[in-house]
Amino acid sequence: MSGLRNNLDLQQYSFINQMCYETALHWYAKYFPYLVVIHTLIFIICGNFWFKFPGTSSKIEHFISILGKCFDSPWTTRALSEVSGETTQEKTAERDISKTNFDETKHSRQKSSSSRSMDISSKTPLLNEVRFSFAQLSLPAILDKKEEQQAKALFEKIRHFRAHAEDSDLVYRVYVSQTFFKVVKVAITLGYSLSLVGSFSFHHICRPGIKNLMGYSMFTCTHNLAFILEKLLLTYIVLVCVYAFLSAYALFWLFTSSLKVYSFDKNSEGPGFSDIPDVKNDFAFMLHMVDRYDTLYSRRFSVFLSAVSEGRLRELALNSEWPSEKLRQMINKDTKGRIELQLAMIPVIPKDVYELREIEVLKLELISSAKLVGAVSQLKSLSELHISHCSVKMDPDAFAFIRERLQVLHVRFTDMEELPSWMYSLKNLSQLHLSGNLNCSNNKSIRLHSLRGLSGLRSLSLTSNFSQLPSAVLDVAWQLSKLSIQNGDTELRSLGQLKRMNHLLVLQLCHCKLSRIPGALLGLTSLQCIDLTSNRLQLVDELGTLQRLRSLNILRLSHNAICRLPPSIELLRNLEELSISYNNLENLPISLFNLVRLRHLNVSYNRIRLIPPEVGHLTRLETLAIISNQISSLPRELFRCSRLRSLHVSSNQLSSLPSEIEKLPLLSSLDLMGNNLTELPQEIGNCLQLKKGGLDVEEHVLGTLPPEVRKKYL
């Protein structure tokens, strides 16, 4: 061939091919690549929070970053290893304590939870874009300062994130919405794809209507990408089917599970953290998703939600802040001369406390995670323990020591959970002091459990507001020698049960709204002390009946409304102490001074005008208090009481002090403040036991004494 080549045949082929593509090829085959791209983008966007939902993506990204830090934290590894080693010991301790208290009823409270998460099964693709590296750490026995600070910072970050994530359920609602949308979208895509899959073909009959141009009216053509597109379509349909199954399963999981509450109960079987409260809303939903991804992450994350773990971290910091030198500076002596240590408002008990072996009294107040460990056995002198508004736990070794050595226990509580369960098993405990709400009239769950396990208990003190004696007290009635009740001005009824306490020596019923002396006391023949302070006694004519109590030597009736004492009071011949201060007495009966064994008499804060001369019959009197009355003179017979050591007559109307004061050789305390005295007799100098600090009187009255006498009291 010769001539100029113009490629007309190629142009004709391209033209015919384009005409066939436009007229003969099915629209689905023509636009299939574009549909795949569009559908893929839609599935990616609605399945990925980072693309479409800025209100949720920030929360999830924050959660993922925290999760990774918790997983790699040295504190997590250490806490898990320690708790897994101690869980068995703690369970053994609880079992031993419950066995020892054989009469105690079961009172453990079941942890309430509105739902439980499902068992771990298939993965749900929320976190599949994020990968964490499994760090292999060689953890030292004790964290260094930097790691400790990092753990503290992580605790605070998690606390703030939890407060933020539990406020709403936005992530949950968005995930449900997008999952439902994906299921609908996949159903539509599969519907038209399966119906049009047959439109793909290799051969097409094309009649473009260009016979005048080409000489042919019909062409047999093939689409050059038809074969590839057919294979891609089959692959695409398979992938969409898989995606449809996953979306349908995710939707089924969402509507058959309660995903807005997450409980860590199942995690407690592993690491041993059982004190984590349930979480809610978005925080709970994200933890459910983490469980679907890998349960190990939620287990390690639970360390930082556990109060046990947080308490251990605080304990590390506290031990460094409270060395033994600092603790020794806090040691002092109580009123009985015993060495005591008081710890208040700190997270845990510092370990160096157990090095202070001289401690006899240990006071724990408002300690959130108080726990006694086996090292407490080093405190050989410890015999008294005070617990105030905190629940103290202990391991088996500590319990064995406390059960054998503890003699006195004071517990001040707000609710019953602060009463330690091991308290009911202290067989050698002799004194128990309980202060808190024990009134079960409005709440039946408030109940003091049986005290029968306290076989050595002799003294029981209750500061509460109950209307009748708790049954737990009656369980040990036969063994008590002292019962003290401070009832907070709540009326105490049904006192007939006191008759069962036939070994009682001391009985205190204060603030019980008693209007008369209980008749049940007459059956307690061993009583030595009766204290009815701060009640509503007005007439005490039945005092004479107390003569049946041959051993009674102390009677306290202060802070009542008694207006007179009956003459029959002289029948209490063995009485050595009588206190009737803060009443409405206007005079004292002559028969009172027939109690010749009386050593202490307190009639302060009444309206008494006269002390009868018969007071001289009380030759054994050592203390006389008549403060704040209306007495204008002291009878000279009073100074026959040669054993008198303390005389308190302040805030009266005395105008003079008899010179017979010198007849009191043992007088060491004399209070004359607030009277009408203008001078003191110089014979007061003959009271050899009355020295500096023992005489209380106005300075101008003291100045009337001779200088050699006055300097004795300055």
Side-chain angles (χ1 to χ4, degrees):
M1 298 178 64
S2 62
L4 183 64
R5 186 176 180 85
N6 54 15
N7 294 325
L8 182 60
D9 56 337
L10 296 178
Q11 295 178 20
Q12 291 175 341
Y13 175 78
S14 297
F15 176 75
I16 295 171
N17 185 65
Q18 184 64 30
M19 291 296 294
C20 289
Y21 178 81
E22 293 294 336
T23 59
L25 194 64
H26 193 272
W27 69 268
Y28 187 62
K30 287 191 293 185
Y31 299 112
F32 175 70
Y34 307 106
L35 292 175
V36 172
V37 172
I38 292 173
H39 290 324
T40 303
L41 290 177
I42 292 175
F43 287 141
I44 291 176
I45 291 174
C46 71
N48 196 319
F49 289 96
W50 282 267
F51 278 120
K52 190 70 176 176
F53 313 107
T56 58
S57 62
S58 59
K59 189 180 292 186
I60 294 176
E61 288 176 346
H62 194 188
F63 178 69
I64 297 301
S65 65
I66 290 176
L67 199 64
K69 291 178 181 177
C70 292
F71 194 91
D72 294 334
S73 173
W75 170 254
T76 307
T77 305
R78 181 184 179 197
L80 288 173
S81 62
E82 285 188 0
V83 175
S84 61
E86 293 181 2
T87 301
T88 304
Q89 296 182 0
E90 292 180 355
K91 289 182 179 179
T92 304
E94 293 294 334
R95 187 163 55 249
D96 292 344
I97 293 174
S98 61
K99 283 183 179 180
T100 306
N101 189 14
F102 55 90
D103 286 319
E104 181 180 356
T105 58
K106 295 181 179 179
H107 58 278
S108 59
R109 187 176 66 175
Q110 298 295 331
K111 181 181 177 183
S112 61
S113 175
S114 57
S115 65
R116 291 293 182 265
S117 56
M118 295 175 59
D119 295 336
I120 306 301
S121 58
S122 302
K123 307 290 189 287
T124 299
L126 174 63
L127 305 176
N128 51 4
E129 296 89 350
V130 183
R131 301 290 178 183
F132 300 116
S133 60
F134 289 80
Q136 300 295 331
L137 301 174
S138 56
L139 191 71
I142 300 177
L143 296 180
D144 58 30
K145 197 70 174 178
K146 182 179 179 181
E147 291 171 336
E148 181 182 320
Q149 294 299 327
Q150 290 175 349
K152 283 184 179 179
L154 194 52
F155 268 118
E156 291 300 320
K157 184 178 292 186
I158 292 173
R159 184 180 290 109
H160 291 309
F161 177 76
R162 176 174 182 175
H164 172 67
E166 287 188 317
D167 285 342
S168 66
D169 58 350
L170 180 62
V171 176
Y172 174 78
R173 287 188 285 110
V174 169
Y175 190 80
V176 171
S177 301
Q178 71 174 19
T179 304
F180 181 77
F181 176 78
K182 284 189 293 184
V183 171
V184 175
K185 176 67 176 175
V186 167
I188 295 174
T189 303
L190 282 177
Y192 77 75
S193 296
L194 293 176
S195 63
L196 298 175
V197 68
S199 64
F200 275 78
S201 176
F202 290 106
H203 302 284
H204 303 278
I205 304 301
C206 177
R207 293 181 175 86
I210 54 174
K211 181 178 181 181
N212 296 332
L213 178 63
M214 303 297 299
Y216 298 95
S217 61
M218 183 179 66
F219 297 88
T220 301
C221 62
T222 182
H223 182 39
N224 55 353
L225 295 179
F227 179 77
I228 298 177
L229 291 177
E230 188 175 33
K231 303 303 179 185
L232 288 177
L233 176 62
L234 294 176
T235 304
Y236 175 69
I237 291 176
V238 171
L239 293 177
V240 171
C241 289
V242 174
Y243 193 80
F245 173 76
L246 294 177
S247 299
Y249 175 75
L251 194 64
F252 172 79
W253 177 63
L254 286 170
F255 287 106
T256 57
S257 304
S258 180
L259 303 178
K260 296 176 70 174
V261 175
Y262 185 90
S263 175
F264 286 88
D265 279 354
K266 57 186 178 56
N267 285 353
S268 64
E269 298 174 2
F273 295 105
S274 58
D275 62 338
I276 312 174
D278 293 349
V279 296
K280 301 177 181 179
N281 291 333
D282 279 346
F283 198 29
F285 175 66
M286 287 186 286
L287 283 170
H288 279 294
M289 300 298 283
V290 169
D291 262 349
R292 295 285 174 169
Y293 178 75
D294 193 337
T295 310
L296 181 61
Y297 285 97
S298 62
R299 287 194 172 185
R300 293 180 71 89
F301 185 63
S302 66
V303 172
F304 287 85
L305 295 175
S306 170
V308 172
S309 176
E310 188 173 3
R312 292 172 188 270
L313 184 62
R314 291 198 304 263
E315 184 177 357
L316 285 178
L318 190 71
N319 287 334
S320 60
E321 296 174 4
W322 292 78
S324 57
E325 294 78 11
K326 182 177 179 179
L327 292 170
R328 287 188 183 278
Q329 296 176 1
M330 301 177 61
I331 291 179
N332 52 41
K333 290 188 176 182
D334 62 7
T335 55
K336 298 180 180 179
R338 298 174 302 175
I339 299 176
E340 73 171 20
L341 173 65
Q342 182 174 6
L343 300 174
M345 301 181 69
I346 57 177
V348 295
I349 301 175
K351 65 177 182 180
D352 287 346
V353 168
Y354 306 119
E355 297 181 5
L356 310 178
R357 304 187 179 185
E358 65 273 22
I359 294 178
E360 299 176 76
V361 181
L362 179 60
K363 296 182 178 181
L364 307 175
E365 181 177 359
L366 293 172
I367 300 179
S368 56
S369 300
K371 181 178 181 180
L372 295 174
V373 298
V376 74
S377 59
Q378 300 178 22
L379 307 180
K380 301 295 185 182
S381 301
L382 183 64
S383 61
E384 184 170 334
L385 179 62
H386 293 246
I387 301 173
S388 180
H389 301 294
C390 57
S391 179
V392 178
K393 299 180 180 180
M394 59 180 63
D395 59 23
D397 294 336
F399 172 69
F401 173 80
I402 293 296
R403 183 176 57 183
E404 297 295 329
R405 297 297 186 91
L406 198 64
Q407 298 292 320
V408 183
L409 176 62
H410 293 254
V411 181
R412 184 182 297 272
F413 60 94
T414 302
D415 54 64
M416 295 298 292
E417 289 186 352
E418 294 178 1
L419 284 174
S421 58
W422 47 262
M423 177 188 76
Y424 303 100
S425 305
L426 303 177
K427 62 180 182 180
N428 291 328
L429 191 70
S430 60
Q431 296 183 32
L432 177 60
H433 302 260
L434 300 178
S435 177
N437 181 19
L438 292 173
N439 190 354
C440 60
S441 59
N442 297 325
N443 188 351
K444 298 300 182 182
S445 64
I446 298 178
R447 185 171 64 87
L448 185 65
H449 299 288
S450 176
L451 301 177
R452 291 178 181 175
L454 308 181
S455 57
L457 189 64
R458 296 295 178 267
S459 175
L460 178 61
S461 176
L462 301 175
T463 302
S464 187
N465 58 344
F466 42 79
S467 57
Q468 58 184 3
L469 288 177
S471 58
V473 177
L474 303 178
D475 290 340
V476 292
W478 60 273
Q479 66 188 55
L480 290 179
S481 60
K482 178 180 179 181
L483 175 63
S484 175
I485 297 178
Q486 303 281 342
N487 211 36
D489 289 327
T490 299
E491 185 177 0
L492 183 61
R493 301 184 295 270
S494 303
L495 292 177
Q497 297 169 329
L498 291 175
K499 295 179 180 179
R500 299 170 56 181
M501 303 182 183
N502 49 11
H503 292 92
L504 210 58
L505 302 179
V506 178
L507 176 62
Q508 295 179 339
L509 301 176
C510 305
H511 299 280
C512 297
K513 285 189 175 180
L514 299 179
S515 57
R516 54 178 306 212
I517 298 176
L521 302 187
L522 301 179
L524 306 180
T525 56
S526 299
L527 271 181
Q528 298 177 1
C529 173
I530 297 178
D531 188 347
L532 301 179
T533 301
S534 300
N535 283 285
R536 295 182 176 180
L537 301 177
Q538 294 182 355
L539 299 176
V540 287
D541 293 337
E542 62 271 20
L543 275 180
T545 61
L546 297 181
Q547 64 176 321
R548 301 180 186 179
L549 310 180
R550 301 295 183 183
S551 301
L552 184 65
N553 52 40
I554 299 176
L555 180 61
R556 295 169 182 161
L557 303 173
S558 300
H559 293 275
N560 280 281
I562 301 173
C563 56
R564 68 179 183 85
L565 291 176
S568 59
I569 193 174
E570 65 178 352
L571 300 177
L572 307 180
R573 301 187 182 278
N574 294 323
L575 210 59
E576 297 182 8
E577 177 183 335
L578 176 62
S579 177
I580 49 176
S581 59
Y582 293 95
N583 278 280
N584 299 324
L585 296 177
E586 294 185 357
N587 55 67
L588 298 175
I590 304 301
S591 58
L592 171 65
F593 303 102
N594 292 330
L595 303 176
V596 294
R597 295 190 179 184
L598 207 60
R599 295 190 297 114
H600 305 280
L601 177 61
N602 186 353
V603 293
S604 301
Y605 298 95
N606 282 280
R607 291 178 289 183
I608 300 173
R609 297 177 179 274
L610 177 68
I611 299 295
E614 284 78 7
V615 69
H617 298 167
L618 305 179
T619 56
R620 298 185 183 182
L621 194 64
E622 298 179 7
T623 303
L624 176 61
I626 49 178
I627 302 171
S628 292
N629 280 278
Q630 301 175 17
I631 297 173
S632 58
S633 63
L634 295 176
R636 298 184 182 276
E637 289 80 4
L638 172 64
F639 303 102
R640 296 177 184 174
C641 305
S642 57
R643 296 186 182 182
L644 198 63
R645 299 176 181 272
S646 298
L647 178 60
H648 302 277
V649 290
S650 60
S651 301
N652 278 280
Q653 300 175 9
L654 295 178
S655 58
S656 63
L657 185 66
S659 58
E660 285 81 359
I661 188 75
E662 65 179 353
K663 296 181 179 180
L664 303 178
L666 301 179
L667 188 66
S668 60
S669 177
L670 178 61
D671 185 3
L672 300 172
M673 295 289 291
N675 282 281
N676 300 326
L677 296 174
T678 57
E679 61 179 0
L680 292 176
Q682 63 180 6
E683 288 83 1
I684 197 173
N686 296 329
C687 298
L688 301 180
Q689 299 298 324
L690 190 62
K691 300 179 181 179
K692 181 180 180 180
L695 176 61
D696 290 331
V697 70
E698 289 83 356
E699 291 186 6
H700 71 277
V701 178
L702 185 62
T704 61
L705 292 173
E708 64 275 8
V709 178
R710 185 172 61 249
K711 68 179 181 180
K712 179 181 177 181
Y713 306 113
L714 295 177

